[in-house]
Amino acid sequence: MQNKLSFTHPCFQNEAAHVARMHLPVARLCNIRCSFCNPVGGDSCVHGCIPGLTREVLTPLQALERVRQVCTEQHIPIQIVGIAGPGEPLFNEETFETLELLRQHFPKIHLCLSTNGLLLPARARRIASLGVETLTVTVNSLTVETARKVYVHVEGRTDDEAFLTLMRNQMDGIEEAARLGICTKVNSVLIPGENEAELPEIARLAALRGASIHNILPLIPRADARQRQAPDAGTVQRLREACGQHLCQFERCRHCRADAIIDAKEREIGEMKHE
């Protein structure tokens, strides 16, 4: 079942939406390594559209104070707060502590989360209970052969079962999140010559599992993927058309940082210093 949002979210619709939002960088550690990941400090990861860049990693209490500062000192009426890194949110207990604090102190703010999906089946009920309404799951492959090109490791492992577990948990997690009423988007990083043939099937299967929208992101060559070629606009459009036969395509992604603050006029605000 595909869940419809009861509020406006710029990352889940193609229509213009003037909504102030921010990301809180509280998830330091990651449990997988993507080939296009450029770790910050050696222990954080990027997945999907999240570049994984942040000026600092905050504690849950610092994150709560950051929201207060933005709302009261910068007078930005934040309506959506997401946790998207710089590592894997579901792999860090700080994520859940931050969500609980936000639910207690800012009950009207909508909560959003991004994940690589490895821990999603086991954590979906917990994030739903904490009030997460929107979720982004990055799915880049469907076969072990392709997964080996996309991921350097999964929990330090490179055997077939490790990659199969990741891909199985991603789809099972999407289904469980949808069952719990969370509106789910699927991100797929388009890597020419490596995973483009699998993207339409990812869209089809994700739709069957309950995803509401699909976001194809062109590869940003870096890290182990720095010698690879980014897809041109024509390739991206062709894949969006193919995937769009199965699942609505999102085309407005801004590749936001893990500490992004964006006001209602779609201007990215410079970071506030955190003492």
Side-chain angles (χ1 to χ4, degrees):
M1 179 185 70
Q2 295 179 335
N3 298 300
K4 301 297 182 181
L5 284 178
S6 60
F7 62 97
T8 299
H9 195 315
C11 302
F12 283 74
Q13 62 186 63
N14 285 311
E15 298 81 9
H18 304 294
V19 177
R21 58 212 186 267
M22 65 186 296
H23 287 165
L24 296 175
V26 297
R28 179 182 298 276
L29 304 176
C30 199
N31 52 359
I32 72 173
R33 171 74 188 277
C34 306
S35 63
F36 47 82
C37 168
N38 187 18
V40 179
D43 60 1
S44 57
C45 179
V46 55
H47 44 80
C49 71
I50 318 308
L53 299 179
T54 181
R55 182 167 173 264
E56 58 187 334
V57 176
L58 305 176
T59 67
L61 286 175
Q62 288 174 330
L64 179 66
E65 181 59 25
R66 178 67 55 86
V67 176
R68 283 191 176 129
Q69 286 180 307
V70 171
C71 290
T72 61
E73 295 181 20
Q74 290 195 334
H75 306 291
I76 300 174
I78 295 296
Q79 294 172 259
I80 300 170
V81 170
I83 298 177
E88 163 53 35
L90 298 185
F91 189 57
N92 292 262
E93 186 62 27
E94 290 83 355
T95 295
F96 305 101
E97 295 173 9
T98 302
L99 292 172
E100 179 62 37
L101 287 170
L102 291 170
R103 188 176 65 164
Q104 292 176 7
H105 296 272
F106 294 93
K108 293 184 179 181
I109 284 180
H110 299 290
L111 301 179
C112 189
L113 202 66
S114 294
T115 177
N116 60 38
L118 180 60
L119 297 175
L120 185 53
R123 303 284 192 269
R125 184 174 295 276
R126 187 178 182 189
I127 63 173
S129 71
L130 289 171
V132 172
E133 297 172 86
T134 50
L135 178 72
T136 296
V137 185
T138 298
V139 183
N140 297 319
S141 62
L142 289 176
T143 65
V144 170
E145 180 183 10
T146 299
R148 286 187 178 280
K149 299 174 183 177
V150 176
Y151 304 104
V152 178
H153 71 75
V154 175
E155 294 186 313
R157 296 167 53 194
T158 58
D159 56 284
D160 288 1
E161 184 56 32
F163 296 118
L164 287 170
T165 297
L166 171 63
M167 294 181 289
R168 181 172 57 247
N169 286 4
Q170 288 169 338
M171 288 297 171
D172 288 350
I174 290 168
E175 184 172 29
E176 178 65 5
R179 188 186 69 80
L180 292 167
I182 301 174
C183 185
T184 302
K185 177 179 68 181
V186 171
N187 276 1
S188 296
V189 178
L190 170 55
I191 308 174
E194 294 192 358
N195 71 344
E196 59 187 286
E198 296 182 9
L199 295 195
E201 184 65 2
I202 288 174
R204 188 185 74 84
L205 293 176
L208 289 175
R209 296 299 189 103
S212 298
I213 194 166
H214 185 210
N215 181 24
I216 296 177
L217 299 134
L219 171 74
I220 300 175
R222 56 180 174 177
D224 291 0
R226 61 186 176 277
Q227 300 301 325
R228 297 174 185 167
Q229 189 70 33
D232 58 34
T235 300
V236 174
Q237 184 58 34
R238 175 174 58 81
L239 265 296
R240 282 177 175 162
E241 290 174 1
C243 295
Q245 297 180 35
H246 308 291
L247 189 56
C248 175
Q249 296 293 295
F250 180 64
E251 302 180 8
R252 295 171 58 90
C253 181
R254 296 185 53 153
H255 296 249
C256 295
R257 291 167 55 100
D259 56 2
I261 302 172
I262 302 172
D263 72 6
K265 295 181 180 179
E266 291 298 309
R267 299 174 303 186
E268 190 156 353
I269 307 302
E271 276 197 273
M272 297 178 63
K273 291 184 178 180
H274 188 82
E275 304 299 338

